[in-house]
Amino acid sequence: MAGECHDKAEDAYRALPKGTLIKSDNPHAMILDQAYFDRFSPVAVEQLALGGLHLAAVLNETLAVDK
């Protein structure tokens, strides 16, 4: 599962368009185009949901009263 998550992150990184640089403290900041957003927004939502489930499982195990 961790490998799959890493692969998805690499895919998203490799697909970064040459965006319009914006003034920011982050020298890598850019405005992403709509095509990139449409392609990777569902991936980001899925990965955040999976991370939330993992966190819930860890908290449930850690805070379980009847260990």
Side-chain angles (χ1 to χ4, degrees):
M1 181 158 151
E4 181 182 340
C5 180
H6 181 78
D7 291 343
K8 288 181 181 185
E10 281 189 339
D11 290 344
Y13 181 76
R14 280 195 287 277
L16 280 171
K18 294 190 188 239
T20 304
L21 297 180
I22 58 173
K23 188 173 184 173
S24 169
D25 291 338
N26 181 347
H28 303 290
M30 66 175 67
I31 297 174
L32 300 174
D33 62 16
Q34 190 63 44
Y36 183 89
F37 179 83
D38 291 343
R39 180 175 173 192
F40 291 105
S41 180
V43 175
V45 168
E46 177 187 38
Q47 293 304 308
L48 286 169
L50 290 172
L53 289 172
H54 179 76
L55 176 60
V58 169
L59 289 173
N60 284 337
E61 182 178 327
T62 302
L63 301 174
V65 175
D66 57 338
K67 284 189 174 182

